[in-house]
Amino acid sequence: MPPAVGGGLAGSELRPRRGRCGSQAARAVGPDVATEATARSPKRPAPSSRRFEAPGRWALLALVTLMSFATRFHRLDQPPHICWDETHFGKMGSYYINRTFFFDVHPPLGKMLIGLAGHLSGYDGTFLFQKPGDEYEHHSYLGMRGFCAFLGALLIPFAYLTVLELSQSLPAALLTAALLTFDTGCLTLSQYILLDPILMFFIMAAMLSMVKYNSCANRPFSAPWWLWLSLTGVNLAGALGVKFVGLFIILQVGWNTVSDLWHLFGDLSLSMVTVGKHLTARILCLIVLPLALYTATYAVHFMVLNRSGPGDGFFSSAFQARLSGNNLHNASIPEHLAYGSVITVKSARMAVGYLHSHGHLYPEGIGARQQQVTTYLHKDYNNLWIIKKHNTNSDPLDPSLPVEFVRHGDVIRLEHKETSRNLHSHYHEAPLTRKHYQVTGYGINGTGDSNDFWRIEVVNRKFGNRIKVLRSRIRLIHLVTGCVLGSSGKVLPKWGWEQLEVTCTPYLKETLNSIWNVEDHINPKLPNISLDVLQPSFPEIMLEAHMVMIRGNNGLKPKDNEFTSKPWHWPINYQGLRFSGINDTDFRVYLLGNPVVWWLNLLSIALYLLSGSIFAVALQRGARLPAEVEGLLWDILLRLCAWSLASFSLAGHVHTLGILSLLLGIAYSFYLFHPLAYGMVGPLAQDPRSPMAGLRWLESWDF
Amino acid sequence: MLGFLQRPVVVTADINLNVVALTAVGLLSRLWQLAYPRAVVFDEVYYGQYISFYMKRIFFFDGSGPPFGHMLLALGGYLGGFDGNFLWNRIGAEYSTNVPVWSLRLLPALAGALSVPMAYQIVWELGFSHCAAVGAALLILIENALITQSRLMLLESALIFFNLLAVLSYLKFSNSQKHGPFSPSWWFWLVLTGVACACAVGIKYVGVFTYLLVLGVAAVHAWHLIGDQTLSNVGADVLGRARLAGGSGGQGVRVLCHLLARAVALLVIPVLVYLLFFYVHLLVLCRSGPHDQIMSSAFQASLEGGLARITQGQPLEVAYGSQVTLKNAFGQPVPCWLHSHQSTYPVIYENGRGSSHQQQVTCYPFKDVNNWWIVKDPGRHQLVVNNPPRPVRHGDVVQLVHGMTTRLLNTHDVAAPLSPHSQEVSCYIDYNVSMPAQNLWRLDIVNRESDTDVWKTILSEVRFVHVNTSAILKLSGAPLPDWGFRQLEVVGEQLSRGYHGSTVWSVEEHRYGRSQEQKERELELHSPTQTDVSRNLSFMARFSELQWRMLTVRSDDSEHKYSSTPLDWVMLDTNIAYWLHPRTSAQIHLLGNIVIWASASLATLVYALLFIWYLFRRRRRVCDLPEDCWLRWALAGALCAGGWAVNYVPFFMMEKTLFLYHYLPALTFQILLLPVVLEHISDHLCRSQLQRSLFGALVVAWFASACHVSNTLRPLTYGDRSLSPSELKALRWKDSWDILIRKY
């Protein structure tokens, strides 16, 4: 990548500045191009040294890159145990190597790359990644950490080039690089097997390519223009493919593109055909290309993970038939339900799971003290139910009796196979959804009462039709109260093993909550059919995977009485996060931004907002500001847009003198705070004997 | 001086008969048979209980919205002489004779009726013709859903009224900007805009969206004002200050005055008015009531009766030897007090883990003698208060002695029963095993003003930090199993960071201990508290606490038979049955005029498409519309289509249960857009007179059909006529409409 960067640099000496708002554009374009070079000249090296400028810049870039790699790879192997979320992402890397199917709320690209890095570096996927603090022992983990550190280290040269491109000022760019290099937060985040370095890499790369392609705007449809445009698209796909927060960089690029197109559209010297070409190029590179790449990562994801694993139950029955080792894979089961069949019943709402019961009772005070009925995401013997006729208890599997199929509208009884209790409901309020009725397991050995009777109905079918496995969408209507069996999707407290609540809802509106399908079906008296016909198409798989992820994300809410950090804590560096170790004898790593860097950043954002609004009002009042100031304004504007939206990675911008002292100061603060990232042993910072004691500037930092 | 003698006194009045006529028909449609049905209709059951509370001046807590709306309804009750004695428990219950139904429903009905002439005024002020303006008013007049909603004791019609008033007064203000800035009428409309916005927000939080819209439009106008180089001197003489400043700086000063006037009227006044609602609310509701428990002890103590009766006359400063009850500040899952009792933790829990087998410490949601603790100085043995009392300060180390068992509050490195990551909290029993007492706690006053603050009854929020382990006394909120009598678990939590209500406690009941002997002390604990100090919270403290609780209280998202999703609203795919006559099949439904709903949605779509089309053409320097026409068109869109969008789109992100009536404010704005679009099509898109006449005929036919539909649905709007089952079936135009048909 660096050679191409250089080309872009050389070509952007005299970049025409495009106004960001229509009315200002006319004013900004005219005098600006000419005056800018002169206005800036004091800050540039003297003309005599211009010959050395290019090599000098290359050397600086190399220096920046070197520094960044040196800090990121220093003591990468420490600590040799699992830190924080490595337990998740390392485990998921292993899943890819073992090709077992799993479920996660993030898109797959990041974890796939981690898995790939592990595979190439000789990790065999056998480490269990059970909990933070487990030693890696002989397992090779450096490949994965090294890969993340590599991407994390590239962040800095990218940031350097971006700021250089935006401000054309070497000191500002160097400052940016120093701020990022010496930020302990960024450093810590880059040294472990996490998604964040990968995400930051793609975000910064997207930013860089967007800025580069902006600077090629005077040569549309040239090779570099196409290159940077499509690279922007590629990196957008990368960012979105790692985490959904990548959407924000897409929004920023989208905003940039829309205002760019709006500007082109208003330029009467361009014909509509040219504008159309511009539009098409953007659609191709920034919409079609990223979507194709994003889809491709999913294609690879589903191709690689072809074995049954811990994520099966989150997905629909048809989806599971693809996974080898799953009991639905290559399975053949009887097609139509008959009395005596042993079945599992799955909710049509995604990520709710199977109708489940177990030998525990509802606790006292919560409805009737009968056996719990829940939904459960994982496969389990307790998910098996037997369909029986409501009024007889004879064994329908008796070979002497004829097969009797269950039909739409029949009244049935569902007996839990393991505990022989019937699915039951009554006029008691459900545990969480107070307006619904409670569903329990009731009766002994299949003998209960009339509250065990349910009418089975197939959605949109006529009475008397048979009920098909997997394909029929059924509703179970309680005969006595007239309510419908449904899952509320709410998580039960500890007494319910954090499984999901099942209720009987008196509101008959047809929602996915109250629709079920039959998944497993065992009946020795019936002929089997193959399930391969049910294989879902790729778009269906994509859609389903996203629905499951969105539901999973919604489920990640903190519980009551739990300490969590709030978004307003982040920018002010209010508190850190323990990556490893708690006690004074442990090897401790503490994720905390370098406070000097972070607070400096806050200050510069405030300064920018202030000066920006003053300039804006002054311009609106018609003051004829010197072109220099105007240029400066748009500069800072662009840069701040870039930085504040590139989110938690950091930057600053100080144009004036004192840059060197600032650099030194930042480096010194890094020297002070580096043990946070590289690890420390010894007394806690609350202890006055600790070397870090004087650095505990906020009481909320507990390193 | 005596000029009025030389010239006759002349009163010139412009009376727009259109407005008068529209007001008259508006009143007729909304007030006709207002007291019918004489029964609780739908959400009247919900608002009614609050009206009763207002009438009896009992404090209540309702997290659904600010108090202005409730107060308006209560005003109706007050004017009608309602005494608040009615049991609001069932929809359809007959009102007893003491309930002034007519006056209770009067204010919402008036608000609904006045919306009709206001619609006329808005469209007129937007710069469109009288014809369009009358059209808009007539559409509002015959819209069945709006009629239903305004004829009952509900809040939407008042919300719509103030939304429209805010928009109308802003338009009046901005139109008077050109010829008379700083004139009395200019000030009047400007201030009225702010007040109307505050009223809308005060009725329902969703009013804030209209407020933001008006603010946004005002900000754009102010921005143009800043850029206006030619700001003329017209009206400057009205403003003395500008004239004084005069000269070269005059222009800048005048712009500043304009900006300041707007900021005061649109930002400061609404805040003050909003505070005023709460002030009146808290002034009226001065007696303790059923919802006291939700509020903090300090708040409760400011109400007559209830806690105030207990705490009245308590000593303020907690001293060594004080007897106190400690209430947890979080109040989740229920408000509770720190508690202990004779029972010990079981040696082995159900899951096999072990405990210290010491005396249980829990949090108990009821008043009990076992909630009493004595604050003890670790260096002394006595449990009585010295004379003079020695107050406890922030940072002091104390011991807490359980009053009835005289055991000391203790925590140690033993896993808590239900939260194994936290420490168990117990009252220490010396079993002579190698488990020393660790019963010293450092007092941390969270809301202290200085580091030497004294621990105060009710007012101080304190944390207890364990001296040995730096754990914090915390309510985990988990109910203990049977061995703990289902009381709530209390733990010591090691995490020191962050503020969380579950770690904060406050003294609720307090007295100075007098008895040295345990027997005497037990008697003392059983006796009620006395002595004398009274205290009051400031209004701002009470306001901020009440507002904060209202915003953070979690309402359980209950399903409702008639709940719907925002997508159902645009084309009226749902309805709500409000009331059914107990014997006949007369019924009231919230059901809109489907012709109006559909054409209003269509008009919005047409507007959006046309707007984008014009915008793109203008960007390519093709101007289809003259500049002033374009500005009018854009402003109408910003206010009407914008008003629809800001009152509709946010509902997609709300998690609460939604009903069709939530759409009515958005619908009103959409209806205003309808004549605007029609007039635009007729004026600018119909190229010949023939086309124009044809279009006019179409509009007349369409309007006639809307009237017809309105008339057909009238029995369901007023509920005055019993319909036969076949008639009802014929009215069920959509399968998703739920019309009640009696089975005889």
Side-chain angles (χ1 to χ4, degrees):
Chain A
M1 192 156 286
V5 169
L9 260 185
S12 59
E13 281 291 272
L14 279 177
R15 132 190 87 111
R17 194 176 297 282
R18 285 183 290 102
R20 311 273 294 181
C21 316
S23 64
Q24 271 83 32
R27 236 176 282 162
V29 168
D32 208 25
V33 181
T35 47
E36 192 183 337
T38 49
R40 287 261 163 64
S41 56
K43 287 183 212 131
R44 296 235 173 123
S48 59
S49 68
R50 186 154 285 185
R51 271 182 299 151
F52 302 107
E53 197 175 78
R57 287 196 167 189
W58 278 110
L60 272 179
L61 180 62
L63 179 75
V64 163
T65 317
L66 190 72
M67 278 298 290
S68 124
F69 272 80
T71 46
R72 266 58 184 167
F73 278 85
H74 178 64
R75 293 184 56 162
L76 186 64
D77 53 339
Q78 291 293 334
H81 57 244
I82 302 175
C83 289
W84 197 49
D85 271 359
E86 284 191 337
T87 173
H88 298 309
F89 301 119
K91 197 189 292 166
M92 290 167 190
S94 306
Y95 284 139
Y96 279 104
I97 295 173
N98 299 326
R99 311 191 65 172
T100 46
F101 189 78
F102 69 96
F103 162 73
D104 183 36
V105 295
H106 302 302
L109 181 64
K111 289 154 296 187
M112 242 153 49
L113 290 175
I114 290 174
L116 182 68
H119 183 64
L120 293 180
S121 64
Y123 166 62
D124 55 3
T126 49
F127 187 62
L128 289 178
F129 283 99
Q130 266 175 335
K131 62 175 192 301
D134 289 359
E135 297 284 333
Y136 281 114
E137 291 163 355
H138 62 277
H139 295 281
S140 144
Y141 64 96
L142 269 183
M144 288 185 278
R145 275 198 189 166
F147 171 72
C148 291
F150 177 77
L151 293 187
L154 280 181
L155 197 65
I156 291 156
F158 284 5
Y160 170 82
L161 291 172
T162 309
V163 175
L164 194 64
E165 191 66 47
L166 281 176
S167 69
Q168 297 294 315
S169 148
L170 262 183
L174 273 178
L175 190 66
T176 311
L179 286 169
L180 271 176
T181 313
F182 295 133
D183 176 49
T184 45
C186 255
L187 173 57
T188 313
L189 222 48
S190 305
Q191 283 200 310
Y192 299 94
I193 309 173
L194 300 174
L195 293 186
D196 307 74
I198 311 176
L199 176 70
M200 289 196 292
F201 166 82
F202 280 118
I203 287 179
M204 196 55 73
M207 199 67 218
L208 176 64
S209 4
M210 184 188 89
V211 168
K212 286 281 183 190
Y213 117 82
N214 274 349
S215 69
C216 296
N218 53 344
R219 291 171 295 146
F221 306 113
S222 64
W225 188 90
W226 277 111
L227 175 74
W228 290 118
L229 190 59
S230 43
L231 267 183
T232 313
V234 170
N235 288 315
L236 287 186
L240 187 65
V242 176
K243 273 194 184 184
F244 282 125
V245 288
L247 268 177
F248 291 105
I249 186 71
I250 296 188
L251 283 185
Q252 199 198 346
V253 171
W255 176 247
N256 178 69
T257 313
V258 166
S259 65
D260 190 21
L261 284 174
W262 187 243
H263 170 77
L264 292 173
F265 187 68
D267 184 351
L268 292 185
S269 66
L270 297 178
S271 71
M272 282 307 285
V273 178
T274 323
V275 174
K277 277 207 280 191
H278 273 284
L279 180 66
T280 321
R282 260 57 157 211
I283 289 174
L284 270 183
C285 291
L286 298 180
I287 295 177
V288 177
L289 179 68
L291 271 186
L293 287 175
Y294 182 74
T295 319
T297 59
Y298 274 89
V300 175
H301 173 76
F302 290 123
M303 229 133 68
V304 172
L305 302 181
N306 59 5
R307 291 186 201 153
S308 163
D312 292 13
F314 289 90
F315 288 83
S316 67
S317 319
F319 184 92
Q320 295 175 27
R322 305 171 51 254
L323 303 168
S324 71
N326 189 294
N327 52 352
L328 292 176
H329 184 65
N330 284 340
S332 48
I333 53 176
E335 190 180 12
H336 297 287
L337 283 195
Y339 287 102
S341 292
V342 177
I343 57 170
T344 60
V345 183
K346 189 164 202 281
S347 172
R349 188 167 163 193
M350 282 167 187
V352 164
Y354 305 94
L355 191 67
H356 178 98
S357 184
H358 41 230
H360 299 273
L361 307 184
Y362 284 103
E364 207 162 304
I366 297 178
R369 217 164 137 64
Q370 297 171 4
Q371 183 167 308
Q372 295 175 13
V373 172
T374 63
T375 55
Y376 185 51
L377 275 172
H378 301 278
K379 303 214 158 186
D380 187 293
Y381 284 113
N382 272 326
N383 298 344
L384 294 177
W385 300 82
I386 309 171
I387 301 190
K388 297 214 165 159
K389 292 200 138 183
H390 70 282
N391 43 10
T392 57
N393 209 11
S394 63
D395 182 13
L397 291 187
D398 185 348
S400 61
L401 294 171
V403 172
E404 197 174 339
F405 288 108
V406 183
R407 289 168 195 279
H408 176 56
D410 279 5
V411 176
I412 59 159
R413 185 157 59 80
L414 274 183
E415 188 179 313
H416 189 238
K417 188 159 182 274
E418 295 294 305
T419 59
S420 298
R421 296 202 194 273
N422 294 326
L423 188 73
H424 178 99
S425 182
H426 45 216
Y427 287 114
H428 285 271
E429 60 184 29
L432 300 178
T433 318
R434 300 283 174 180
K435 288 193 172 175
H436 294 183
Y437 303 132
Q438 184 193 27
V439 176
T440 64
Y442 181 74
I444 296 170
N445 285 331
T447 316
D449 62 14
S450 61
N451 270 330
D452 301 348
F453 302 157
W454 302 80
R455 194 170 66 242
I456 187 165
E457 288 187 354
V458 184
V459 178
N460 299 335
R461 285 296 150 83
K462 276 189 253 129
F463 279 94
N465 278 0
R466 290 180 189 179
I467 291 164
K468 287 185 181 151
V469 169
L470 289 170
R471 269 179 286 186
S472 288
R473 296 155 64 79
I474 57 177
R475 308 211 303 163
L476 288 169
I477 292 161
H478 193 238
L479 213 58
V480 175
T481 61
C483 60
V484 186
L485 186 76
S487 168
S488 67
K490 294 178 192 161
V491 181
L492 292 172
K494 281 200 181 114
W495 56 256
W497 312 98
E498 302 191 337
Q499 297 172 0
L500 305 182
E501 183 196 40
V502 167
T503 62
C504 196
T505 150
Y507 309 116
L508 301 182
K509 242 180 205 174
E510 209 167 271
T511 64
L512 280 183
N513 287 347
S514 55
I515 294 178
W516 305 80
N517 71 325
V518 176
E519 185 168 299
D520 297 292
H521 181 204
I522 306 160
N523 193 333
K525 281 160 75 174
L526 293 176
N528 290 348
I529 59 147
S530 167
L531 278 183
D532 289 343
V533 284
L534 294 175
Q535 287 253 352
S537 65
F538 182 69
E540 281 167 359
I541 297 179
M542 277 284 282
L543 183 71
E544 187 177 343
H546 280 83
M547 294 297 290
V548 175
M549 277 192 284
I550 289 166
R551 270 193 57 77
N553 264 322
N554 289 341
L556 292 179
K557 278 180 185 153
K559 290 170 192 146
D560 274 358
N561 301 22
E562 234 177 20
F563 290 103
T564 46
S565 76
K566 308 215 164 51
W568 63 267
H569 288 164
W570 305 337
I572 59 171
N573 213 14
Y574 179 74
Q575 62 186 21
L577 189 75
R578 285 201 197 97
F579 256 48
S580 143
I582 297 176
N583 298 321
D584 47 3
T585 49
D586 294 342
F587 184 89
R588 280 167 292 137
V589 175
Y590 189 71
L591 173 69
L592 183 74
N594 184 337
V596 177
V597 174
W598 284 47
W599 292 339
L600 213 60
N601 199 36
L602 275 187
L603 185 73
S604 56
I605 288 177
L607 269 181
Y608 164 74
L609 286 181
L610 190 70
S611 60
S613 38
I614 291 174
F615 281 135
V617 170
L619 280 177
Q620 179 75 7
R621 286 298 295 160
R624 300 304 305 165
L625 292 175
E628 179 191 5
V629 181
E630 221 170 290
L632 194 74
L633 176 67
W634 295 122
D635 251 4
I636 303 173
L637 179 82
L638 279 170
R639 190 134 19 101
L640 201 95
C641 283
W643 284 118
S644 52
L645 281 171
S647 84
F648 51 89
S649 62
L650 314 147
H653 31 70
V654 180
H655 268 258
T656 51
L657 297 171
I659 288 209
L660 198 65
S661 59
L662 210 54
L663 281 179
L664 285 176
I666 290 162
Y668 180 66
S669 69
F670 175 68
Y671 167 75
L672 286 178
F673 282 97
H674 79 271
L676 293 182
Y678 290 134
M680 51 202 164
V681 185
L684 301 172
Q686 286 99 321
D687 190 335
R689 284 170 299 148
S690 158
M692 305 296 287
L695 294 174
R696 199 158 166 261
W697 296 344
L698 288 186
E699 276 207 13
S700 48
W701 299 349
D702 43 1
F703 44 78
Chain B
M1 277 300 270
L2 296 175
F4 69 94
L5 289 180
Q6 282 146 15
R7 258 172 273 136
V9 180
V10 177
V11 177
T12 346
D14 287 341
I15 296 180
N16 185 336
L17 285 181
N18 279 354
V19 175
V20 175
L22 285 171
T23 313
V25 287
L27 286 172
L28 184 68
S29 68
R30 264 66 174 174
L31 295 181
W32 185 69
Q33 283 202 2
L34 190 59
Y36 174 88
R38 213 182 148 75
V40 181
V41 180
F42 199 60
D43 267 355
E44 287 187 344
V45 73
Y46 175 79
Y47 295 115
Q49 48 177 332
Y50 299 128
I51 295 175
S52 285
F53 281 129
Y54 274 114
M55 295 300 119
K56 297 179 171 178
R57 310 195 65 179
I58 291 175
F59 176 78
F60 66 88
F61 177 87
D62 174 32
S64 69
F68 181 56
H70 300 352
M71 286 196 294
L72 269 186
L73 298 181
L75 179 67
Y78 177 74
L79 295 177
F82 182 39
D83 55 5
N85 289 325
F86 184 74
L87 188 62
W88 306 88
N89 62 351
R90 186 172 62 84
I91 295 174
E94 289 266 335
Y95 282 122
S96 50
T97 46
N98 64 328
V99 183
V101 184
W102 190 81
S103 69
L104 277 173
R105 289 180 183 156
L106 178 64
L107 285 180
L110 281 181
L114 292 180
S115 299
V116 175
M118 265 202 311
Y120 168 85
Q121 298 259 358
I122 287 178
V123 176
W124 168 243
E125 291 289 336
L126 277 171
F128 292 84
S129 68
H130 280 289
C131 184
V134 171
L138 287 180
L139 287 174
I140 299 272
L141 177 75
I142 62 167
E143 168 51 53
N144 300 60
L146 291 178
I147 298 177
T148 310
Q149 199 71 9
S150 22
R151 285 173 42 82
L152 301 169
M153 199 176 71
L154 304 170
L155 291 183
E156 268 68 27
S157 64
L159 174 66
I160 292 170
F161 171 80
F162 284 111
N163 276 344
L164 293 182
L165 183 63
V167 169
L168 174 63
S169 44
Y170 182 77
L171 284 173
K172 291 252 190 199
F173 156 76
S174 119
N175 288 341
S176 65
Q177 168 76 21
K178 287 175 212 105
H179 43 84
F182 300 107
S183 63
S185 78
W186 185 91
W187 279 110
F188 173 75
W189 292 118
L190 179 60
V191 171
L192 189 61
T193 312
V195 173
C197 285
C199 291
V201 179
I203 289 172
K204 294 211 160 190
Y205 291 124
V206 288
V208 89
F209 297 116
T210 311
Y211 177 40
L212 288 179
L213 180 76
V214 171
L215 269 190
V217 173
V220 171
H221 283 169
W223 186 247
H224 289 308
L225 197 74
I226 293 177
D228 187 0
Q229 302 287 329
T230 60
L231 196 65
S232 67
N233 282 317
V234 175
D237 50 351
V238 181
L239 188 79
R241 271 180 300 167
R243 193 170 42 184
L244 279 178
S248 60
Q251 248 185 30
V253 172
R254 199 159 40 252
V255 168
L256 205 63
C257 288
H258 270 290
L259 294 182
L260 271 180
R262 284 164 170 77
V264 168
L266 298 183
L267 295 173
V268 180
I269 289 184
V271 171
L272 292 180
V273 173
Y274 188 76
L275 285 178
L276 181 73
F277 298 148
F278 274 86
Y279 188 79
V280 175
H281 177 73
L282 288 173
L283 201 67
V284 172
L285 303 180
C286 56
R287 297 187 187 145
S288 92
H291 301 162
D292 283 14
Q293 292 288 315
I294 300 169
M295 311 306 293
S296 72
S297 310
F299 192 99
Q300 292 181 41
S302 68
L303 299 171
E304 281 171 31
L307 186 70
R309 209 176 303 147
I310 299 170
T311 59
Q312 191 181 29
Q314 288 185 172
L316 179 65
E317 297 184 345
V318 177
Y320 290 107
S322 281
Q323 300 173 348
V324 296
T325 60
L326 292 164
K327 187 185 181 193
N328 190 274
F330 192 44
Q332 300 278 354
V334 283
C336 61
W337 292 269
L338 191 69
H339 178 96
S340 182
H341 40 234
Q342 289 282 356
S343 311
T344 55
Y345 287 109
V347 183
I348 302 290
Y349 296 124
E350 283 159 2
N351 56 8
R353 282 195 292 114
S355 82
S356 67
H357 195 48
Q358 295 189 340
Q359 181 171 312
Q360 296 171 13
V361 172
T362 63
C363 202
Y364 187 55
F366 302 98
K367 298 256 177 192
D368 188 270
V369 71
N370 270 323
N371 297 347
W372 284 97
W373 298 81
I374 303 168
V375 182
K376 178 174 169 292
D377 182 352
R380 300 194 182 194
H381 281 292
Q382 62 174 15
L383 293 179
V384 294
V385 175
N386 284 15
N387 201 6
R390 281 195 305 131
V392 186
R393 293 174 191 279
H394 171 73
D396 284 356
V397 173
V398 299
Q399 288 174 322
L400 288 177
V401 183
H402 185 239
M404 297 304 286
T405 61
T406 56
R407 296 209 163 103
L408 296 158
L409 188 74
N410 185 68
T411 183
H412 42 215
D413 191 14
V414 172
L418 299 178
S419 319
H421 297 294
S422 311
Q423 293 185 3
E424 178 192 275
V425 173
S426 65
C427 271
Y428 186 71
I429 307 176
D430 192 359
Y431 285 122
N432 260 337
V433 289
S434 56
M435 192 176 267
Q438 303 183 353
N439 48 27
L440 299 181
W441 300 86
R442 182 175 300 108
L443 187 72
D444 175 22
I445 301 180
V446 181
N447 57 348
R448 63 179 182 272
E449 273 151 22
S450 75
D451 277 354
T452 54
D453 253 20
V454 174
W455 182 9
K456 296 195 188 88
T457 311
I458 291 182
L459 301 174
S460 290
E461 301 186 330
V462 301
R463 303 201 297 178
F464 294 99
V465 185
H466 193 233
V467 173
N468 300 64
T469 59
S470 70
I472 293 178
L473 190 69
K474 177 189 165 185
L475 167 69
S476 83
L480 294 169
D482 289 334
W483 55 257
F485 311 101
R486 309 258 152 215
Q487 298 174 6
L488 306 178
E489 185 198 37
V490 169
V491 299
E493 176 105 0
Q494 278 276 8
L495 280 170
S496 62
R497 64 166 118 115
Y499 168 91
H500 196 279
S502 61
T503 62
V504 176
W505 305 81
S506 61
V507 172
E508 188 164 288
E509 290 167 86
H510 173 222
R511 67 183 147 214
Y512 287 152
R514 301 280 170 218
S515 22
Q516 193 63 263
E517 286 301 309
Q518 174 65 15
K519 282 279 168 234
E520 272 178 56
R521 196 181 306 125
E522 283 182 18
L523 273 180
E524 194 182 3
L525 290 173
H526 278 289
S527 66
T529 48
Q530 42 217 325
T531 51
D532 231 67
V533 182
S534 64
R535 63 194 63 85
N536 267 319
L537 275 184
S538 70
F539 163 69
M540 281 314 284
R542 299 176 74 196
F543 160 74
S544 49
E545 178 180 344
L546 181 58
Q547 177 72 85
W548 182 246
R549 300 263 161 160
M550 283 165 89
L551 289 175
T552 51
V553 74
R554 252 177 270 171
S555 55
D556 40 341
D557 50 333
S558 50
E559 263 174 287
H560 192 281
K561 190 173 179 207
Y562 290 106
S563 68
S564 49
T565 61
L567 282 180
D568 298 336
W569 300 342
V570 183
M571 295 309 283
L572 193 63
D573 288 331
T574 176
N575 72 320
I576 306 178
Y578 269 10
W579 175 78
L580 176 65
H581 193 280
R583 290 170 300 281
T584 69
S585 64
Q587 47 193 302
I588 296 180
H589 284 261
L590 181 69
L591 192 54
N593 184 327
I594 187 143
V595 172
I596 298 180
W597 287 51
S599 39
S601 299
L602 187 68
T604 314
L605 187 70
V606 169
Y607 178 86
L609 292 178
L610 276 177
F611 182 82
I612 291 174
W613 173 249
Y614 290 141
L615 193 70
F616 274 76
R617 301 259 291 172
R618 282 171 64 84
R619 185 75 189 160
R620 296 297 284 184
R621 308 281 188 277
V622 186
C623 290
D624 307 283
L625 300 179
E627 189 64 21
D628 66 325
C629 185
W630 161 252
L631 284 180
R632 228 183 322 149
W633 175 242
L635 183 66
L639 285 173
C640 299
W644 170 76
V646 296
N647 281 298
Y648 177 55
V649 177
F651 283 107
F652 283 97
M653 280 162 268
M654 283 186 200
E655 284 179 1
K656 62 177 189 172
T657 319
L658 297 175
F659 293 95
L660 182 62
Y661 57 71
H662 285 125
Y663 185 61
L664 295 180
L667 176 79
T668 315
F669 282 107
Q670 217 181 12
I671 291 177
L672 293 186
L673 189 65
L674 191 50
V676 168
V677 171
L678 290 180
E679 182 177 320
H680 180 85
I681 293 176
S682 150
D683 284 358
H684 296 276
L685 300 184
C686 295
R687 287 169 194 272
S688 66
Q689 192 57 43
L690 178 68
Q691 279 180 0
R692 217 161 284 165
S693 316
L694 274 178
F695 185 73
L698 267 178
V699 169
V700 169
W702 160 82
F703 187 76
S705 73
C707 290
H708 175 69
V709 167
S710 182
N711 194 42
T712 317
L713 292 176
R714 204 175 53 88
L716 297 182
T717 305
Y718 289 89
D720 56 341
R721 196 157 71 82
S722 180
L723 295 173
S724 70
S726 63
E727 280 175 305
L728 286 170
K729 268 192 196 118
L731 282 178
R732 194 161 168 243
W733 295 336
K734 285 198 176 193
D735 287 342
S736 50
W737 288 3
D738 193 355
I739 288 174
L740 309 174
I741 299 172
R742 280 186 187 275
K743 293 174 193 158
Y744 291 109

